Structure formats: C-alpha cells, structure tokens
Amino acid sequence: MSKWECIVCGLIYDEKEGWPDDGIAPGTKWEDVPEDWLCPDCGVGKEDFELLEEEVVEDVPHHEEPVADKVHAPVVIIGTGLAGYGVAKEFRKHDSDTPLILITSDDGRSYSKPMLSTGYTKNTTANDLAQLDAGSMAKMLKASVWTMTRVAEIDTANQMIKVGDAQSAIHYGKLVLAVGAEVIQPPIGGDALEKVYSVNDLLDYDDFRSAVEKNGVKKVCIIGGGLIGCEFTNDLLNGGFEVEAVDPLGHCLPTLLPEQAGKAVQAALESKGATFHFGPLVTEVNHAGEGVRVTLNNGETIDADLVVSAVGVRPRVALAQASGIDTNRGVVTNRLLETSAPNVYAMGDCAEVGGHVLVYVAPLMAAARALGKTLAGEPTEVSYPAMPVTIKTPACPVVVAPPAPGAQGEWTVQAQGNDVQAEFRDAAGNLLGFALTGEATKAKLALQKELPAILA
Ligand SMILES: Cc1cc2nc3c(=O)[nH]c(=O)nc-3n(C[C@H](O)[C@H](O)[C@H](O)COP(=O)(O)OP(=O)(O)OC[C@H]3O[C@@H](n4cnc5c(N)ncnc54)[C@H](O)[C@@H]3O)c2cc1C
C-alpha cells in the first residue's frame, strides 16, 4: 500500500485508508481512484499528487571533513519557498554528496503558500501551516539553511554571492535563484497605511492574523478582485467577516476569466454577503474612529476595520538585474532554466522560462524536477504540459487554463446559473484555453486532454 502526496497542500492519500468521505473505500489503489477526484483540501486534481517517497537521509558523521573541503563547490539556492525547497528535494534524489546551501530572507519554515488564502475556512494559523522548521529541513536535505539572510549581490564572474551586510561572501559551483514574486503596491495615500496588509508569505500571514485578532476585526476591505482577492473574500466570508472588495475592472478574476464566468463568481460571493465595487480605484486609506475609511476615485467611501491589498504579484528581478543577469518580465531562462550568467539558474515565481511567466505551483514543480537532474549532472529541459489552475472559491469553484497571451481565437460560453463553461478556440476549432465555474468544473479533465502543451 503506498501513499500519495498533494504537491500543492501536502494532503496525503493513503491507499490503506482510502477516502471514505468521497466514497473511496479503504484499500483503494491510487490507479483506481476516480480520475476526476479532487484534493479535498485544496481542490487540485489527481495529476497534482506525487508518490510519497520516504526521504532516508543519514546524519553527517562527526568525523567527516567539513563540506567546504569536499571536491565539489556547493550548489547554492536562494529562496526556501516551494521552488527553493522543491528543487533541493529533487536534487537530493540524484546527488546526496555535493554540499548544498539554501539562503532565505525569511525564517525558512516550509509551508504551502496556496494555503494562506484558506486559513479561516480551515481554521489554520501560521503555526498550523508551517510543516517543518529550517533546522528540520536542513537535516532532511543534508544541507545548510541560512535564515533571515538577504543576498545582496551576485558576482557572476567569480561565482561569489554576498550576503546580509555584504561583509560575508560565499563561493558557488552552481546557483539557483528561487526568490519568488513580490506584491504590487498600488499608489495609495492616507494616514492609515499601516492597516493595509498584503499576504505573500507565512510571516505576512502571521502579522495579518494577529492584527485581526488584536483589533477585534469584523469588516475587511479587499483591494483587488483577482485570484488572491477573490480567494481572500471567500475565506473571510467563511470566517464570519463582512467583506467589501474593490477592483478597477468589471468583474471577478478579470484577467483570468471571460465576463460571464467572472460574473458567476461575483454572484456566488455576493450571495454569501460580499459587496463589490467594480470600476473605481482606491486612492486613500485614512483612520476613522477605531477603523479606517477607504476612499475611491468615484467619490465613494468604505468603512472597515482593516484592509487587505491583493492587486497581484510580479517576479522579483532586482537582485538579478543588479548582478547583470538578463531580465524581462522575470529572470530570463532557457528550458534548461539557465540564465544569461554561467552556472546561474532561475525557477519558480521569479523566472521567465522560454518566454512564460507562470506564478503557480504546477510549473515550479515541473521546473524543480528538471533542474534537480541538471544540477546533478544530467542536463534536462523542462516541459510544461497544459496546467489548469484551480481557484479556491468554494462558493463557486473555478478551474481556468488561460489561453497564451496573444493567442488568436474566440470565447464561446455556455451558462446555466453560476455553472459556466467557456472555451477559447482558434479559427480551426482547436481548444487553446478554458474557464469553468460551478458544476461545469467537472469538464476539466476532458478539456485538459484537448489542450496543447505550454512547452512541449
Ligand atoms: C495567497 C496565495 C494563494 C495562492 N494559491 C495558489 C493556488 O491555489 N495554486 C497555485 O498553483 N498557486 C497559488 N499561489 C501561487 C503559489 O503559491 C506560488 O506560485 C509559489 O508559492 C511560489 O513559490 P516560490 O518558491 O517561487 O516563491 P516564494 O514562496 O515567494 O519564495 C521566495 C523565497 O525567496 C526568498 N528571498 C527573496 N529574495 C531574497 C534575497 N534577496 N535573499 C534571500 N532570500 C530571498 C524569500 O525569503 C522566500 O524564501 C498562491 C499565492 C498566494 C500568495
């Protein structure tokens, strides 16, 4: 009997136990689990589960030479998010000896970032979401994990990185940039900006939850109606909060969904009590009594206890740029994940791989598998199959596979209430993307099979 692990949220399917809640009897083998079964915790499909391998890692014996004296120069990974730890785990499957150093500006706890927007639905604090601390990760990976350490500069000619105050430097044999994406800060004025929270990592989440508890928050204003804004709207409604959300575009998930599908999500969230303001921009957040007053550029105001800003993320490119590494929307790489600097690779949310910036988990897992082999001496190009994204709005489940930017074609939409099936096809009838809401999400597997690979 084996166990399978969800790569997004870490949920484990144990063949011995099955999943009786969904009618899957104890003893059901993974291949007999229905193809359309979705992870009960985060909603991703069977293809996002991996066979769980027991990591058998021996402790470094005390009499061994220090790692720095071994033949190989270390592999250094900057970042300990799903990308950094993901590639480290893959690398260790192929190479258990080369010294490995991970450096992170946060506390190095491993966690699944997508779970940050389901904390109230699942009643999970930041501590609940943390899977392992940095020390345990170091032991598991037979690596050194440097926490609360910012990499300030990369000297690509001498293969050195400078850390912290730039007084310490370390040499790398191969370097991986897995520095993630940063939140976009909208230009907002006012005297209460300390009450505007962005949630992009576990430490942010801890701050946000503490502020909610400390201030007895009852009502939240959310800036942004995209993926993170809608997920937070649904999650906070589930947590019993009042929510008003603002987005300058015309409907929910405006950059991902055609209008009818976005309106279905809006209707479902409104029926749970959300209020949306589509069209205006937020201009100011000011103190008002114990809470805040949010001013919009159409003259309206929203009174709330606290504000969440969720206007999107963009790849972190500053470190690469300052080090002379080519960047465009992200850190530019080829399909081997090589950047323009020798022995420097990039992956995860910070990377632009073969022209694609995909700030989701499935692409970074594909990149981690390929790069793990490349770093171990077996050059392997990354392939991206079609990778639909599940959006965690249980009021109206959404699965979307957006057409590539610039793709030529048209949307056709079939809708029944909040169940919308939208397909984007070219003139020859080939499916290039789709968006599904409500009950129509059941068509995901069939449509996914029709989609072309993103990077074949
Ligand atoms: C609320 C939320 C919900 C999401 N839901 C989903 C979902 O349902 N499905 C999905 O596919 N995707 C989802 N995503 C996106 C997904 O979580 C990300 O694509 C993924 O976690 C990115 O991982 P990463 O390792 O590339 O970046 P990060 O997790 O951001 O890690 C970056 C790391 O780099 C470190 N770092 C940065 N700069 C430096 C420096 N100069 N020196 C040292 N260290 C540095 C940071 O400390 C951190 O350790 C969601 C994102 C959010 C915010």
Side-chain angles (χ1 to χ4, degrees):
M1 292 281 150
S2 50
K3 292 181 182 175
W4 293 75
E5 184 180 26
C6 172
I7 60 172
V8 177
C9 70
L11 177 129
I12 291 168
Y13 174 84
D14 185 340
E15 292 181 342
K16 210 163 49 186
E17 291 168 12
W19 206 272
D21 283 356
D22 290 343
I24 303 171
T28 305
K29 297 290 248 182
W30 181 246
E31 56 267 31
D32 298 328
V33 172
E35 283 308 310
D36 57 358
W37 186 68
L38 299 176
C39 172
D41 263 10
C42 71
V44 300
K46 263 183 87 181
E47 68 283 2
D48 293 321
F49 280 67
E50 277 186 341
L51 185 62
L52 186 66
E53 288 176 10
E54 295 292 341
E55 308 268 352
V56 181
V57 175
E58 293 158 18
D59 286 343
V60 181
H62 291 301
H63 62 267
E64 265 199 13
E65 293 296 314
V67 286
D69 292 339
K70 288 195 172 177
V71 181
H72 302 293
V75 167
V76 177
I77 298 172
I78 309 175
T80 57
L82 289 169
Y85 277 143
V87 69
K89 284 182 199 163
E90 292 297 326
F91 173 62
R92 277 293 183 241
K93 288 180 185 168
H94 310 288
D95 180 330
S96 53
D97 293 328
T98 302
L100 178 61
I101 300 171
L102 291 103
I103 303 173
T104 176
S105 52
D106 62 27
D107 60 10
R109 285 182 290 176
S110 81
Y111 73 103
S112 173
K113 191 184 275 199
M115 297 297 100
L116 296 181
S117 48
T118 55
Y120 283 100
T121 307
K122 296 174 195 293
N123 198 16
T124 40
T125 63
N127 277 341
D128 298 329
L129 293 179
Q131 290 154 351
L132 289 175
D133 65 17
S136 309
M137 289 303 294
K139 192 169 178 209
M140 184 180 101
L141 294 166
K142 197 176 167 189
S144 218
V145 180
W146 301 11
T147 60
M148 307 313 271
T149 305
R150 181 164 291 280
V151 174
E153 212 182 309
I154 306 166
D155 174 352
T156 57
N158 295 305
Q159 301 201 178
M160 303 284 287
I161 58 175
K162 295 187 181 160
V163 294
D165 55 9
Q167 299 300 308
S168 343
I170 53 171
H171 175 65
Y172 60 84
K174 287 174 181 153
L175 177 68
V176 180
L177 302 179
V179 291
E182 61 201 359
V183 293
I184 297 169
Q185 302 288 358
I188 296 175
D191 63 14
L193 297 182
E194 79 281 4
K195 291 207 168 179
V196 180
Y197 287 80
S198 300
V199 180
N200 190 34
D201 61 32
L202 204 52
L203 297 172
D204 290 345
Y205 186 65
D206 215 358
D207 289 347
F208 167 68
R209 290 283 293 232
S210 305
V212 168
E213 268 139 52
K214 198 169 115 212
N215 301 313
V217 167
K218 294 201 167 42
K219 179 171 173 188
V220 179
C221 173
I222 296 185
I223 307 175
L227 184 150
I228 295 171
C230 284
E231 290 192 350
F232 267 99
T233 298
N234 202 148
D235 191 47
L236 289 165
L237 290 170
N238 287 352
F241 298 91
E242 205 184 323
V243 181
E244 283 196 51
V246 185
D247 193 291
L249 299 178
H251 54 84
C252 285
L253 301 151
T255 58
L256 286 172
L257 299 186
E259 186 172 352
Q260 255 173 298
K263 295 237 182 234
V265 179
Q266 177 184 342
L269 292 171
E270 282 173 345
S271 71
K272 280 184 77 74
T275 304
F276 286 98
H277 302 256
F278 288 115
L281 288 164
V282 171
T283 54
E284 287 192 10
V285 179
N286 287 296
H287 288 286
E290 295 294 298
V292 291
R293 176 156 298 165
V294 178
T295 306
L296 315 185
N297 68 351
N298 62 1
E300 286 178 27
T301 57
I302 300 168
D303 287 335
D305 298 312
L306 188 141
V307 178
V308 173
S309 174
V311 301
V313 295
R314 66 173 149 242
R316 268 195 194 101
V317 295
L319 175 63
Q321 246 168 12
S323 311
I325 296 169
D326 286 353
T327 62
N328 184 33
R329 286 181 301 143
V331 182
V332 173
T333 81
N334 60 16
R335 289 184 57 180
L336 284 167
L337 288 322
E338 292 169 327
T339 69
S340 60
N343 294 315
V344 181
Y345 302 80
M347 58 160 307
D349 278 8
C350 68
E352 180 174 329
V353 180
H356 298 272
V357 173
L358 298 169
V359 289
Y360 303 112
V361 177
L364 72 80
M365 297 305 291
R369 285 190 282 273
L371 186 54
K373 287 187 186 159
T374 300
L375 295 173
E378 185 191 333
T380 304
E381 291 194 336
V382 68
S383 298
Y384 285 161
M387 294 177 284
V389 178
T390 299
I391 296 171
K392 303 184 291 302
T393 45
C396 179
V398 179
V399 181
V400 58
Q408 297 295 312
E410 275 185 16
W411 285 103
T412 53
V413 181
Q414 286 177 297
Q416 203 170 17
N418 287 346
D419 307 334
V420 178
Q421 178 157 343
E423 299 177 10
F424 188 88
R425 294 184 183 270
D426 66 14
N430 298 310
L431 185 71
L432 301 181
F434 63 77
L436 308 170
T437 66
E439 286 293 303
T441 51
K442 291 188 175 145
K444 173 193 158 184
L445 281 176
L447 290 175
Q448 186 179 343
K449 287 184 191 137
E450 255 194 76
L451 280 178
I454 296 170
L455 279 176

